[in-house]
Amino acid sequence: MDFWYGNHHALEKIEMDIAANAITAFIGPSGCGKSTFLRTLNRMNDTILGTRLEGSVLYKGLDIHSGYDVLDLRSQVGMVFQKPNPFPMSVYDNVAYGPRLHNAHLSRADLDAAVETSLRDASLWDEVKDRLGKSALGLSGGQQQRLCIARTLAVNPEVILMDEPTSALDPISTAHIEDLCYKLKERYTLIIVTHNMQQASRISDYTAFFMINEERCGYLVEMGDTRQVFYNPRDKKTEAYISGRFG
Amino acid sequence: MTTRTQFGEKLSEYYKKILYMGTLVEQFIIDVTDALVSGDAEAARALIETDKKIDALQVEIEQESVMLLLLEAPVARDLRKIVTSIKVVSDLERIGDYGVHLAKFAAKGNPSLFPRFLPRIAAMARNGASMIRDSLTSYIEDDENLARQTASRDAEIDAQKKQIIAELIMLQPKNEVEMRQIYRYLSISKDLERLGDHITTICEWVIFTVKGDIIDLNRMPKSDE
């Protein structure tokens, strides 16, 4: 696929398969289109005026533009952002928001169960079970990010997109999120944009390296098993980038 | 100018140190061989001290290797080359030990009762020393072809050793002194053959640096220990 912001060609000839129940990391320098590409996967770029996609993005064999209702797509392909963005409401209401939106007739018991399950799956339940009614804004940064993950899980996605999920967090919170990713990949497919190459090598199964050309258009240089990309990359540009040798 | 210049400088100094260690080992083998052939027991005795320098360098380089891995988090070729370096210095240290065996024998100063073997043993040792040089060159330059060529020369040392041993075991010692000397020559020949094997290992690790594959180069079945 190719992608444009207005007249600016932002992504060129991106072709890849994303493995299910695995963690795929997107790495590359700033401005190379990793986040743009991530956002195409659940049509978040539709919210930006003047964008255009050529080619196709298939999810479970169906084109995401013609085969899905966009809201359904976004519940199946959820997203977590760099800066935790809990809603200004209670912890409970944050997680219950999505299930309520999708099913107005859920019983209280079912909603309670959904909230607890999501918070447990996000490794946050023990820390918030006694303060579910309190504002989510009172949580720490790491807890807020796990809350955002719980919120995403509450609508039963199959894919979770994460755009630099730990870059705003301290090392301990980062470690919690990384442990959570290991746990989540058993049931979900995760795609993570990261600037932290050690994070990519630590937790991902596959790594895709993007670069930017002279026309400031992003392209895919190489994608493969993370061990191979970091151990013996095929492309010299990949070797230079992951070794930190720029210029 | 590329980034990570400090890392680049650290690596440059690190590789130079390993090259220095290799040069020391190469020269050690040459000097010990010269002392053996010329019968200079005093020179041989003095040379034994070189092994302490070689051992100390191995420890120093291994510690630096760990620090590089810890502090610089190298990946890809940088990582492979540092891992290779740890293996290379271990092989060089073992080669140094074989040099010590040769030096200790030469240091005894006993006249050779079977002088026809001395030049042949010397030829094996000098062949080995030249292979040390070439294997270190292949290591510094990441030269896969040179590594393969150097490893293939191990066959020469193996053939030399086989011939010497075949002749030694046919000798009929007249007394215990002769028997001991035959045993010494057998032992030295085996050491020099193992020296060749260690150089082959260095060459295999150079290929690992370049290609990322751990391979087995022209391994002959080992003779009985």
Side-chain angles (χ1 to χ4, degrees), chain B residues 179-191:
Chain B
M179 196 171 69
R180 282 182 185 283
Q181 206 168 85
I182 291 169
Y183 173 77
R184 281 273 123 230
Y185 283 148
L186 280 169
S187 182
I188 286 167
S189 301
K190 279 183 172 226
D191 280 350

Side-chain angles (χ1 to χ4, degrees), chain A residues 152-169:
Chain A
T152 302
L153 296 178
V155 292
N156 299 315
E158 291 189 22
V159 181
I160 305 170
L161 310 176
M162 297 186 168
D163 196 349
E164 299 188 51
T166 63
S167 62
L169 304 180

